[in-house]
Amino acid sequence: MKIAIASDHAGKDLKSLISDYLSLTSHSVLDYGVSVDSEGSVDYPDFADVVASEVSNGRADRGVLICGTGTGMSIAANKFAGIRAAVVYDEFSARMSRAHNDTNILCMGARTVNHSRAIDFLKIWLATEFEDGRHKERVAKIAEIEKRVGNREAE
Ligand code: RB5
């Protein structure tokens, strides 16, 4: 798979670890920064914007976004059409986010997860298939909401 990845300043060390790990696998990595050598802080929505846009447009198959908690990245990424981003924090949430929610962007918090465990969560997330049946129908309902509401304010 082609995997787009990015982080803000809070997530740069974990992002670099993940990027290095992915480069040893058969996946191809599109790393959009921020560089591990960069100094100062950056704004997580700018990085979520790039990765979510790549996945939404089909230029990347999946995305990985790292910030302090994963929360800001997931909120921003979920603004894009077709994006299902979730904050993953253990093995179970990694597996379920794929099996039940068909997530296409994995978000993690560099300040909230142990970094070596984060690699295990990533492996599970990459290996888990989306389950068919009722889960497919539920995810289709999310797509219907997106189509109906779009970028308009809720009525
Ligand atoms: C940066 O300090 C922090 O707010 C950011 O990395 C992230 O946790 C936001 O959700």
Side-chain angles (χ1 to χ4, degrees), residues 75-146:
I75 292 170
N78 278 315
K79 301 295 177 195
F80 280 77
I83 294 301
R84 291 175 300 280
V87 182
V88 159
Y89 46 88
D90 60 11
E91 285 81 357
F92 188 72
S93 62
R95 185 171 295 110
M96 287 301 109
S97 85
R98 284 286 313 134
H100 287 191
N101 312 115
D102 198 18
T103 47
N104 46 17
I105 296 190
L106 167 72
C107 300
M108 285 192 286
R111 293 171 175 162
T112 58
V113 296
N114 172 290
H115 289 194
S116 58
R117 285 193 71 209
I119 299 293
D120 292 334
F121 307 158
L122 172 75
K123 286 180 189 168
I124 290 167
W125 185 76
L126 289 171
T128 306
E129 294 294 331
F130 178 46
E131 287 175 15
D132 228 323
R134 67 187 190 279
H135 302 298
K136 203 168 183 177
E137 287 163 25
R138 289 168 185 162
V139 168
K141 286 192 176 192
I142 296 173
E144 279 167 30
I145 293 171
E146 186 177 89

Side-chain angles (χ1 to χ4, degrees), residues 8-11 41-42 44 66-75 109-111:
D8 69 356
H9 56 287
S41 64
V42 294
Y44 62 82
I66 312 294
C67 62
T69 59
T71 305
M73 287 294 199
S74 66
I75 292 170
R111 293 171 175 162

